[in-house]
Amino acid sequence: LLWGNALAAQVVDVNTVTRPPFSMIENGRETGFAIELLQEIAHRQGWDLAVHRKDTFAEMLTGVRDAEVDLAAANISITSAREAEMDFSQPVFESGLQILVQAADVREPSLMKALLSWDLALAIGLAFLLLLVGGMFMWALERRAQPYFDRPLKEAWFPSFWWALNLVVNGGFEERVPRTAIGRMFGVMLVLSSLFIVSIFVAN
């Protein structure tokens, strides 16, 4: 609510704009949160309200600034520039970012449910698969160039998986850096793809 002249008169002129749910016309009558609040104040003070509905915020505020009306009522933001020219009531509404969800989706948080959820199992499974496939592909690229990968296929799966896991978690082993150009490129891609999978899981 924005106050202009001292409200000594019994008839109070009010500027407003149509901004549901704060100010609007419904079934032919003035209503909305700001309007109904002002109507209650007027009822307690013994005022008669004369509501003037304007097309724009600028018109509404100009009427108060030029003393054409007593006050304005709508979803009016309190700014330093406006406060330099007009007086405001105490704030009656605080806005901000809100998230709307279906009522059926609202539930108490549960650590056990989160740990046993299919989403977590899927994320872990994808991570293991990525690391295993990535490690074995690196073994195929580096087994003739990097001594760490110089081992038979049946013995290579776990060391290769362990290498990929350490690459993602710790940045890899300094002495086990890929030596081929394609191996180095694949190592970078493996790290970036793992970050992508983790970010999807966190976002969900």
Side-chain angles (χ1 to χ4, degrees):
L1 303 179
L2 184 60
W3 305 95
N5 298 334
L7 302 178
Q10 293 298 308
V11 177
V12 176
D13 290 298
V14 183
N15 272 1
T16 188
V17 290
T18 301
R19 292 291 189 277
F22 297 94
S23 176
M24 54 192 175
I25 296 178
E26 192 173 80
N27 297 325
R29 68 182 186 89
E30 299 285 350
T31 187
F33 175 76
I35 298 300
E36 291 182 13
L37 176 61
L38 185 57
Q39 288 171 343
E40 180 60 26
I41 295 173
H43 173 73
R44 296 187 183 188
Q45 296 295 322
W47 302 336
D48 291 326
L49 292 181
V51 178
H52 308 281
R53 192 163 291 276
K54 301 299 182 179
D55 294 327
T56 66
F57 255 71
E59 290 181 73
M60 176 183 65
L61 298 179
T62 298
V64 178
R65 187 182 299 110
D66 296 343
E68 296 172 357
V69 294
D70 298 301
L71 60 91
N75 54 325
I76 307 171
S77 299
I78 301 175
T79 66
S80 57
R82 291 172 180 173
E83 281 192 305
E85 299 178 313
M86 296 166 277
D87 292 327
F88 285 83
S89 68
Q90 291 295 320
V92 296
F93 182 81
E94 182 178 348
S95 63
L97 294 176
Q98 306 290 332
I99 298 176
L100 299 178
V101 297
Q102 294 287 341
D105 294 333
V106 178
R107 56 185 181 274
E108 291 294 325
S110 171
L111 178 61
M112 188 58 65
K113 283 185 178 180
L115 292 176
L116 298 178
S117 68
W118 284 109
D119 289 341
L120 181 60
L122 178 62
I124 293 175
L126 285 174
F128 271 87
L129 181 62
L130 174 66
L131 294 174
L132 180 59
V133 172
M136 291 306 297
F137 189 64
M138 185 63 75
W139 168 81
L141 296 174
E142 292 287 317
R143 62 195 179 102
R144 291 187 176 86
Q146 169 57 259
Y148 177 78
F149 292 103
D150 186 15
R151 62 189 78 214
L153 175 61
K154 62 180 180 180
E155 299 176 7
W157 69 270
F158 185 77
S160 298
F161 168 80
W162 189 253
W163 179 91
L165 179 63
N166 275 274
L167 175 69
V168 171
V169 175
N170 299 322
F173 304 97
E174 185 176 350
E175 68 277 11
R176 297 169 186 172
V177 173
R179 296 184 177 181
T180 64
I182 190 170
R184 291 175 179 177
M185 291 176 59
F186 179 71
V188 173
M189 291 176 56
L190 183 62
V191 173
L192 294 178
S193 60
S194 66
L195 293 175
F196 178 71
I197 291 177
V198 170
S199 65
I200 292 178
F201 172 70
V202 172
N204 290 332

